[in-house]
Coordinates of all heavy atoms in Angstrom, one line a residue:
V266 N 0.6 1.6 -3.0 CA -0.3 0.5 -2.9 C -1.6 0.8 -2.2 O -2.7 0.5 -2.7 CB 0.4 -0.7 -2.2 CG1 -0.6 -1.9 -2.0 CG2 1.6 -1.2 -3.0
A269 N -3.7 3.0 -4.6 CA -4.3 2.2 -5.6 C -5.5 1.4 -5.1 O -6.5 1.3 -5.7 CB -3.3 1.2 -6.2
F270 N -5.4 0.9 -3.8 CA -6.4 0.2 -3.2 C -7.7 1.1 -3.0 O -8.8 0.7 -3.3 CB -5.9 -0.3 -1.8 CG -6.9 -1.0 -1.0 CD1 -8.0 -1.7 -1.6 CD2 -6.8 -1.0 0.4 CE1 -8.9 -2.4 -0.8 CE2 -7.7 -1.7 1.2 CZ -8.8 -2.4 0.6
R271 N -7.5 2.3 -2.6 CA -8.6 3.2 -2.4 C -9.2 3.6 -3.7 O -10.5 3.7 -3.8 CB -8.1 4.5 -1.7 CG -7.7 4.3 -0.2 CD -7.5 5.6 0.5 NE -6.5 6.5 -0.1 CZ -5.2 6.5 0.3 NH1 -4.8 5.6 1.2 NH2 -4.4 7.3 -0.3
D272 N -8.4 3.8 -4.7 CA -9.0 4.1 -6.1 C -9.9 2.9 -6.5 O -11.0 3.2 -7.1 CB -7.8 4.3 -7.1 CG -7.1 5.6 -6.9 OD1 -7.7 6.5 -6.1 OD2 -6.0 5.7 -7.4
E273 N -9.4 1.7 -6.3 CA -10.2 0.5 -6.8 C -11.5 0.4 -6.0 O -12.6 0.1 -6.5 CB -9.4 -0.7 -6.6 CG -8.2 -0.9 -7.6 CD -8.7 -1.0 -9.1 OE1 -9.9 -1.4 -9.3 OE2 -7.8 -0.8 -10.0
L274 N -11.4 0.7 -4.7 CA -12.6 0.7 -3.8 C -13.7 1.7 -4.3 O -14.9 1.3 -4.3 CB -12.2 0.9 -2.4 CG -13.4 0.9 -1.3 CD1 -14.1 -0.5 -1.3 CD2 -12.9 1.2 0.1
E276 N -14.3 2.5 -7.2 CA -14.9 2.0 -8.5 C -15.7 0.8 -8.3 O -16.4 0.3 -9.3 CB -13.7 1.7 -9.5 CG -12.9 2.9 -9.8 CD -13.7 4.0 -10.5 OE1 -14.6 3.6 -11.3 OE2 -13.5 5.2 -10.2
R277 N -15.8 0.2 -7.1 CA -16.6 -1.0 -6.9 C -18.1 -0.7 -7.1 O -18.5 0.4 -6.8 CB -16.4 -1.6 -5.5 CG -15.0 -2.1 -5.3 CD -14.4 -3.0 -6.3 NE -15.3 -4.2 -6.5 CZ -15.2 -5.0 -7.6 NH1 -14.3 -4.8 -8.5 NH2 -16.1 -6.0 -7.7
L285 N -17.0 -7.3 1.0 CA -16.7 -7.9 -0.3 C -16.1 -6.9 -1.2 O -15.2 -7.2 -2.0 CB -18.0 -8.4 -0.9 CG -17.9 -9.1 -2.2 CD1 -17.0 -10.3 -2.2 CD2 -19.3 -9.5 -2.8
A286 N -16.6 -5.6 -1.1 CA -16.0 -4.6 -2.0 C -14.5 -4.4 -1.6 O -13.6 -4.2 -2.5 CB -16.7 -3.3 -1.8
L287 N -14.2 -4.4 -0.3 CA -12.8 -4.2 0.1 C -11.9 -5.4 -0.4 O -10.8 -5.2 -0.9 CB -12.7 -4.2 1.6 CG -13.2 -2.9 2.3 CD1 -13.5 -3.1 3.8 CD2 -12.2 -1.8 2.1
R288 N -12.4 -6.6 -0.3 CA -11.7 -7.8 -0.7 C -11.4 -7.7 -2.2 O -10.3 -7.9 -2.6 CB -12.5 -9.0 -0.4 CG -11.8 -10.3 -0.8 CD -12.8 -11.5 -0.7 NE -12.3 -12.8 -1.0 CZ -12.0 -13.2 -2.2 NH1 -12.2 -12.5 -3.3 NH2 -11.5 -14.5 -2.4
R289 N -12.4 -7.4 -3.0 CA -12.2 -7.4 -4.4 C -11.4 -6.2 -4.9 O -10.7 -6.2 -5.8 CB -13.6 -7.4 -5.1 CG -14.3 -8.7 -5.0 CD -15.7 -8.7 -5.6 NE -16.3 -10.0 -5.5 CZ -17.6 -10.3 -5.9 NH1 -18.4 -9.3 -6.3 NH2 -18.0 -11.5 -5.8
A290 N -11.5 -5.1 -4.1 CA -10.7 -3.9 -4.4 C -9.2 -4.2 -4.2 O -8.4 -3.7 -4.9 CB -11.2 -2.7 -3.6
F291 N -9.0 -4.9 -3.1 CA -7.6 -5.3 -2.8 C -7.0 -6.1 -4.0 O -5.9 -5.9 -4.4 CB -7.4 -6.0 -1.5 CG -6.0 -6.3 -1.1 CD1 -5.2 -5.4 -0.4 CD2 -5.4 -7.5 -1.6 CE1 -3.9 -5.7 -0.1 CE2 -4.1 -7.8 -1.3 CZ -3.4 -6.9 -0.5
T292 N -7.7 -7.1 -4.4 CA -7.3 -8.0 -5.5 C -7.0 -7.2 -6.7 O -6.0 -7.4 -7.4 CB -8.3 -9.1 -5.7 OG1 -8.5 -9.9 -4.5 CG2 -7.8 -10.1 -6.8
A293 N -8.0 -6.3 -7.0 CA -7.8 -5.5 -8.3 C -6.7 -4.5 -8.2 O -5.9 -4.3 -9.1 CB -9.1 -4.7 -8.5
S294 N -6.4 -4.0 -7.0 CA -5.3 -3.0 -6.8 C -4.0 -3.8 -6.9 O -3.0 -3.2 -7.4 CB -5.4 -2.3 -5.5 OG -5.3 -3.1 -4.4
A295 N -3.9 -5.0 -6.4 CA -2.7 -5.8 -6.5 C -2.3 -6.0 -8.0 O -1.2 -5.9 -8.4 CB -2.9 -7.1 -5.8
A296 N -3.4 -6.3 -8.8 CA -3.1 -6.5 -10.2 C -2.7 -5.2 -10.9 O -1.9 -5.2 -11.8 CB -4.4 -7.1 -10.9
A297 N -3.3 -4.1 -10.4 CA -3.0 -2.8 -11.0 C -1.6 -2.3 -10.8 O -1.0 -1.8 -11.7 CB -4.0 -1.8 -10.5
V298 N -1.1 -2.5 -9.6 CA 0.2 -2.0 -9.3 C 1.3 -3.0 -9.8 O 2.4 -2.5 -10.1 CB 0.4 -1.8 -7.7 CG1 -0.5 -0.8 -7.2 CG2 0.3 -3.1 -7.0
G299 N 0.9 -4.2 -9.9 CA 1.9 -5.2 -10.6 C 2.8 -5.9 -9.6 O 3.0 -5.5 -8.5
L303 N 4.6 -5.0 -5.7 CA 4.3 -5.9 -4.5 C 5.6 -6.5 -4.0 O 5.7 -6.7 -2.8 CB 3.2 -6.9 -4.9 CG 1.8 -6.4 -5.2 CD1 0.9 -7.5 -5.5 CD2 1.3 -5.6 -4.0
V382 N -1.5 -12.1 -2.0 CA -2.8 -11.8 -2.4 C -3.8 -12.9 -2.1 O -4.9 -12.7 -1.5 CB -2.9 -11.5 -4.0 CG1 -4.4 -11.3 -4.4 CG2 -2.1 -10.3 -4.3
E386 N -7.0 -12.7 0.5 CA -8.3 -13.1 0.2 C -8.8 -14.2 1.2 O -10.0 -14.1 1.6 CB -8.3 -13.7 -1.2 CG -8.1 -12.7 -2.3 CD -7.9 -13.3 -3.7 OE1 -7.6 -14.5 -3.7 OE2 -8.0 -12.6 -4.7

Side-chain angles (χ1 to χ4, degrees):
V266 172
F270 178 28
R271 294 193 298 269
D272 288 343
E273 292 291 344
L274 181 59
E276 297 300 318
R277 298 306 307 168
L285 180 60
L287 285 163
R288 179 194 184 281
R289 290 178 174 172
F291 182 90
T292 302
S294 65
V298 300
L303 289 180
V382 175
E386 292 172 343

